[in-house]
Amino acid sequence: MIHEPEARRLRELGVEQMQLSVYSHRPEVHDAITKLPGSLKRTVDSIKFLKSQGLKVTLSNMLMTVNRNDHKGTQALAKQLGIAYTLDPTVTPMMDGNTSNLHLRVDDDNLDQLFADPELVGNVEEYCKPPAPVDEDAMEGYSCSAGHTACYISPYGDVFPCVQFPLPTGNVRRQKFADMWYRSPQMQEVRSIKIKDLTVCSSCSHAGTCSRCPGLAYMEGSMRGPSTTDCEKSFHRTGIPSANMLRKAGMGAGGPLVQILPMGL
């Protein structure tokens, strides 16, 4: 739905990048996911058009059970088109809280393979090394740009801190965006939270390196709580369980967690 006038306006506004979702390099897989026959071809044609208009494009690939074997081919397609590529294995609940889509998340073996792939993560040893001790500066920081340097505006004009953070802050059809961005109580609350304020994560060894999503934490019950999905990713990346995982393991046993180590350790 973007043609030359819209592309020109996007250039004039200084839009940093356009991100288009491609779920597979194979039409039969991509089109089955979108449920729109011919959608892969239309998306590739759109990418070529946007590039021709001087706009920076990134191919965004969501990894799921139904396309878990296709990310290499999709990455090759991005390279062929001359655009950036990003892969994300995080399948999130729907904006209304419906979790029926979570069965599409890939299993632990797939995550382990992703984090061991230098074409995706670069230096594997550096990327997967144990987390460093968390210093005071890190504790004063925040783990996500939602509400800080980015937000989400829905097709209906509703404004949220992020596309996966269903905390309404207003609507651009009824309010000025600047009023919501600078003065919304919800945005201000999101911005006020530092790592040191997180109920479980502040005591976690991963606190300084975790990709914790406050939106997913919010869906789990508290924007100051842990995001289980990100705990699992940190574990598969480093092999070290998070504070939240240790806490849950202890609770599941009906008492405090007791870790038994080999003699001499």
Side-chain angles (χ1 to χ4, degrees):
M1 296 177 69
I2 296 177
H3 304 288
E4 288 192 12
E6 293 83 7
R8 182 170 57 251
R9 180 64 174 146
L10 289 168
R11 279 199 314 273
E12 292 169 353
L13 289 169
V15 170
E16 184 177 334
Q17 68 168 290
M18 309 286 290
Q19 194 172 93
L20 281 77
S21 296
V22 175
Y23 300 102
S24 172
H25 61 296
R26 296 186 292 156
E28 64 271 22
V29 176
H30 175 93
D31 295 358
I33 292 171
T34 63
K35 301 187 187 302
L36 289 171
S39 59
L40 176 60
K41 182 182 184 306
R42 288 166 54 194
T43 301
V44 170
D45 288 345
S46 296
I47 290 171
K48 293 176 179 177
F49 171 74
L50 293 169
K51 275 199 68 186
S52 74
Q53 297 298 305
L55 292 165
K56 181 181 175 182
V57 184
T58 294
L59 188 156
S60 175
N61 187 10
M62 173 60 66
L63 189 69
M64 300 175 282
T65 54
V66 290
N67 67 350
R68 61 179 177 270
N69 297 318
D70 288 5
H71 68 274
K72 290 285 189 184
T74 311
Q75 185 176 22
L77 174 62
K79 187 174 182 179
Q80 177 187 331
L81 292 167
I83 61 174
Y85 172 83
T86 179
L87 179 68
D88 191 346
T90 309
V91 177
T92 65
M94 301 179 198
M95 289 294 279
D96 61 2
N98 187 326
T99 59
S100 62
N101 60 331
L102 298 188
H103 71 281
L104 294 170
R105 287 177 174 170
V106 296
D107 59 23
D108 294 349
D109 288 341
N110 285 123
L111 287 177
D112 291 337
Q113 291 170 16
L114 289 181
F115 293 137
D117 187 342
E119 291 189 14
L120 293 173
V121 303
N123 186 323
V124 175
E125 287 189 9
E126 179 69 21
Y127 185 73
C128 297
K129 69 181 181 181
V134 184
D135 58 28
E136 190 173 330
D137 288 342
M139 296 299 284
E140 290 291 334
Y142 53 90
S143 61
C144 177
S145 62
H148 290 271
T149 59
C151 69
Y152 167 61
I153 303 176
S154 81
Y156 309 101
D158 297 312
V159 179
F160 303 90
C162 174
V163 69
Q164 54 195 38
F165 198 155
L167 178 68
T169 67
N171 186 288
V172 292
R173 293 180 173 180
R174 298 186 296 271
Q175 301 152 270
K176 290 183 177 180
F177 177 78
D179 288 340
M180 290 175 281
W181 180 255
Y182 291 111
R183 287 176 280 279
S184 159
Q186 295 86 356
M187 286 289 192
Q188 290 178 357
E189 181 183 8
V190 170
R191 292 189 191 116
S192 72
I193 301 172
K194 298 180 179 179
I195 290 178
K196 68 179 183 180
D197 302 320
L198 304 178
T199 53
V200 177
C201 304
S202 58
S203 64
C204 183
S205 62
H206 293 283
T209 58
C210 178
S211 59
R212 174 188 173 275
C213 171
L216 291 180
Y218 177 77
M219 290 189 198
E220 286 190 39
S222 170
M223 68 176 76
R224 291 174 173 78
S227 162
T228 299
T229 300
D230 291 301
C231 291
E232 292 171 354
K233 285 196 291 186
S234 290
F235 171 66
H236 285 285
R237 181 169 55 84
T238 65
I240 298 174
S242 69
N244 183 44
M245 295 173 74
L246 293 171
R247 179 179 66 96
K248 286 186 172 182
M251 290 167 55
L257 176 70
V258 178
Q259 187 176 15
I260 301 175
L261 297 175
M263 290 181 64
L265 296 181

